Amino acid sequence: MQSLSDRELDLNTQPVTVYPRAAQRRVRAWVRFGPEAVRVDARIVRSTPRAAGIEFSAEETTYRCWVWGNAVVIDDVGGEA
């Protein structure tokens, strides 16, 4: 699975917000596994002004990665993740 690089995140100059479990929102996000793009149900666990740190599970494995903010859509329909 691919995640944004430190250079892309620009964490030396961009503020990072870390959300406590109770404040994490459900999202649908596009992620990449090699050349394959997959849309997943995830939780947003941190963010910068341009990117989202998400967490999701697939095949009994929990994944964590950074994606561009426009790859994420908030999903409030189901309530808490």
Side-chain angles (χ1 to χ4, degrees):
M1 181 203 45
Q2 294 172 299
S3 186
L4 297 176
S5 69
D6 290 345
R7 182 174 172 219
E8 290 169 316
L9 290 169
D10 193 20
L11 296 180
N12 290 332
T13 62
Q14 296 297 312
V16 176
T17 301
V18 178
Y19 301 101
R21 177 89 176 152
Q24 295 173 4
R25 311 259 319 258
R26 291 171 51 113
V27 297
R28 296 276 292 156
W30 287 101
V31 297
R32 287 204 168 271
F33 286 89
E36 206 59 42
V38 179
R39 196 162 193 197
V40 298
D41 293 315
R43 288 183 296 116
I44 186 166
V45 296
R46 58 186 47 96
S47 66
T48 73
R50 291 180 261 180
I54 62 169
E55 182 176 286
F56 64 96
S57 296
E59 297 182 7
E60 299 182 24
T61 301
T62 298
Y63 295 94
R64 293 173 189 86
C65 65
W66 284 97
V67 297
W68 292 118
N70 63 356
V72 175
V73 175
I74 302 289
D75 177 17
D76 284 329
V77 175
E80 185 179 328

